[in-house]
Amino acid sequence: MAEPVLELRGVSKRYGEAVAVDEVSLTVERGEFLTILGPSGCGKTTVLRLIAGFEQPSAGEIVLEGRSMAGVPPERRAVNTVFQSYALFPHMNVFDNVAFGLRMRGFAPTEVRRRVLDALRLVHLEDLATRMVDRLSGGQQQRVAIARAVVNEPAVLLLDEPLSALDYRLRKRMQIELKHLQRSLGITFVLVTHDQEEAFSMSDRVAVMNQGRIAQLDTPTAIYETPANLFVARFVGEINVLPGVVVGCVEHMTHVEVEGRVIPLSTPPGCWQVGNKVHVLLRPEDLRVETLRDLDEDPELRASFGRVPALLGVVEETVYKGATYDVILRLDSGTMLTATEFFNEDDETVYFRPGDRVAVTWVQGWETVLAYAP
Amino acid sequence: MKWLRRIYIAMVLGFLYIPLAVMVVYSFNASRFSMDWKGFSGEWYLQLWNNTGLLTAALNSLVVAVVSATLSTVLGTLIAFTLTRWRFPSRRVIGATLFVMMMSPDIVIAISLLVLFMLLGLPLGFGTLVLAHVTLCLPFVAIVVQGKLHGFDPVFIEAARDLGAGDFAVFRYIVVPLVTPAVLAGWLLSFTLSLDDVVISFFTTGPTFEVLPLRIYSMVRLGFKPEINALCTIMMAITSLAVIIAYRVFKEEK
């Protein structure tokens, strides 16, 4: 196993009484794209600033390429940052901005020129080398900021919400470009964002942060499919949370009473005991909804509807989303659920109407069960 | 509406520039004694050139202005840096005293300095005059530069350090270029403040060292001479030139 390029060991940062970062430990492998995802104020930017050296940890240790960074100032760390505001030097043109890091490290002018032009070519800005940075569009400034950082070939490139100032389409395009850039350069990226879509589409692994701690660190799929706790579940997309009680554990089947119905869950044995209070988590797109009318009329549909006993309710409203639509329904117990339905060839209109009596079910095993937390 | 606006603009410009225009026109008046127009003449400019006393005073003024503007720019910039960069207990007090100094009537500053100089036994002359003008200009420089530093985004410093710049390199390549326009503005402000100061100069210079505003003041007391018009016209031309240069410099910076 190769040595990790970056390691945080129990790193904390306190400002007086306030704890911004609380015992964060993580390792980043060489060439990995790691995203720190979290709501504003969760400490994710502080983690980045600690790695960059703008802040010193109150406790714990940061190890970069096997060397402790305690007391090492930012100018002597092999990391570079792409700032949220880009922080391009307004009194320099594009070329001088990108050349700054190389010049500081004492490269010969011909070498500086060669590398800067290479970096500008990489971000498709070779024609704008002599332009002053305040004459560039937001997207172009973003590219200069990236070129200025990667030209130094850092061990780790830190990106602080780099795309948040761009409009939606440009942001999508830059996400893809950033990912390509990272692949082709092989540089380790640590990106901070509050946008889960951005985190999922670019990263190898995602660290979800909440209140200064890492709530879960895993691949995007694992975080979405099997969230470790309610915070992660709710932060990365919409989810339905149903309270339940474990009523039986037979062999590798756990039975949980949810909304007055006993439902078998495929949870490993030994996890739960009878009487445990739990949360059953279901993504809206995993729910299957049919009207009771259709189920009555069509035995085939009824047969294919699944083995999980259905929950009954009534449609409150439908929300059109473009490629999909959400069905918001109220279970007979009063609990609200959201289910996402797709349009397809034989179903091009919103099928459900407010007031429809419906049954809701899901494929057994697609649910996530967590210990009850108020 | 349009002509109303034009009249308004004409009134504003007239209010500002008619006195100057009158002065410029009369500096070319051939008449020595009356305000009647007696024909065009460059005579007063010639006489001015031969008036060595006046020229010496003008030169003195320029030297004092350059020296005191430079000194107060250096000191004022350092004060501004200290006040923005570090948080220390007396920071607010010092910041407030700058404003007090700026607002104080010239006569109060003048008298207090005179008393101080006499107490210290300093002979009044070039040295005391420069000290007095630095006292006058310092707060202006400090406040102008401080304003720029407050608007200065510290992320630029972080970005530079992130790219490998040490303290000196940050100062040399980032802070200095970004702050220079404000420092230059402070210098120009000090220069003009020093050049046209009468009250403070009157009390803090000695008989051996005469500056232009005082010289003009004494000349006018003895009776108005048309050379003064010529002299003031030249000074105005120099000031306009300085303003144009400053404007060009700042435009380049932008």
Side-chain angles (χ1 to χ4, degrees), chain A residues 101 115 236 366:
Chain A
R115 290 195 187 207
V236 298
W366 286 13

Side-chain angles (χ1 to χ4, degrees), chain A residues 76-366:
Chain A
R76 297 221 308 273
R77 296 189 182 200
V79 297
N80 286 114
T81 310
V82 175
F83 293 86
Q84 185 171 11
S85 60
Y86 313 145
L88 301 179
F89 305 129
H91 58 293
M92 296 182 190
N93 64 20
V94 170
F95 186 95
D96 291 336
N97 260 283
V98 178
F100 192 83
L102 298 173
R103 285 178 177 152
M104 285 301 117
R105 279 158 58 198
F107 279 92
T110 50
E111 183 66 8
V112 169
R113 187 168 176 76
R114 192 183 64 76
R115 290 195 187 207
V116 170
L117 292 179
D118 278 351
L120 288 178
R121 211 164 293 130
L122 206 62
V123 296
H124 316 298
L125 283 179
E126 58 269 40
D127 299 334
L128 297 178
T130 56
R131 189 77 69 87
M132 289 309 279
V133 291
D134 57 1
R135 299 240 168 251
L136 299 176
S137 70
Q140 288 167 336
Q141 290 187 4
Q142 164 75 74
R143 287 158 197 270
V144 176
I146 292 167
R148 186 175 71 171
V150 298
V151 75
N152 304 294
E153 295 173 355
V156 179
L157 183 71
L158 307 173
L159 303 106
D160 184 8
E161 307 243 5
L163 308 178
S164 61
L166 305 178
D167 65 58
Y168 181 77
R169 281 189 52 192
L170 197 53
R171 192 158 70 229
K172 290 279 149 206
R173 213 173 77 205
M174 284 308 292
Q175 281 176 11
I176 296 168
E177 276 193 37
L178 262 184
K179 184 68 198 166
H180 282 226
L181 201 65
Q182 192 257 344
R183 287 260 169 77
S184 60
L185 294 173
I187 296 178
T188 313
F189 276 36
V190 175
L191 182 137
V192 155
T193 185
H194 63 268
D195 180 345
Q196 52 110 356
E197 205 181 321
E198 193 171 300
F200 285 174
S201 61
M202 291 196 286
S203 326
D204 300 315
R205 283 193 305 157
V206 175
V208 184
M209 274 191 78
N210 183 33
Q211 297 182 337
R213 291 167 174 273
I214 292 182
Q216 190 172 7
L217 172 59
D218 217 324
T219 62
T221 324
I223 283 184
Y224 191 75
E225 303 286 342
T226 51
N229 49 57
L230 274 182
F231 172 79
V232 174
R234 288 201 171 112
F235 191 72
V236 298
E238 272 200 72
I239 199 154
N240 296 297
V241 180
L242 298 171
V245 180
V246 178
V247 291
C249 296
V250 187
E251 297 190 0
H252 53 268
M253 262 315 179
T254 306
H255 286 83
V256 171
E257 189 185 320
V258 176
E259 301 295 320
R261 305 216 154 204
V262 174
I263 291 168
L265 304 174
S266 44
T267 334
C271 283
W272 308 106
Q273 288 178 344
V274 173
N276 279 166
K277 290 173 90 179
V278 293
H279 282 304
V280 178
L281 275 51
L282 291 158
R283 293 279 174 207
E285 64 272 22
D286 292 344
L287 289 179
R288 190 167 165 201
V289 185
E290 296 293 349
T291 63
L292 293 185
R293 191 177 56 242
D294 288 353
L295 286 170
D296 275 347
E297 287 168 3
D298 190 344
E300 222 170 283
L301 183 70
R302 197 158 57 232
S304 76
F305 195 53
R307 290 186 299 137
V308 178
L311 305 175
L312 299 177
V314 62
V315 175
E316 288 264 304
E317 61 178 314
T318 56
V319 181
Y320 180 68
K321 292 262 183 96
T324 61
Y325 65 98
D326 284 352
V327 181
I328 296 170
L329 45 94
R330 182 190 296 277
L331 295 182
D332 292 345
S333 64
T335 310
M336 304 297 291
L337 280 187
T338 304
T340 301
E341 293 288 314
F342 290 86
F343 294 108
N344 51 41
E345 306 88 73
D346 39 87
D347 202 6
E348 286 173 354
T349 52
V350 176
Y351 184 74
F352 297 95
R353 299 276 158 229
D356 283 352
R357 287 285 295 164
V358 289
V360 185
T361 186
W362 63 91
V363 175
Q364 192 185 332
W366 286 13

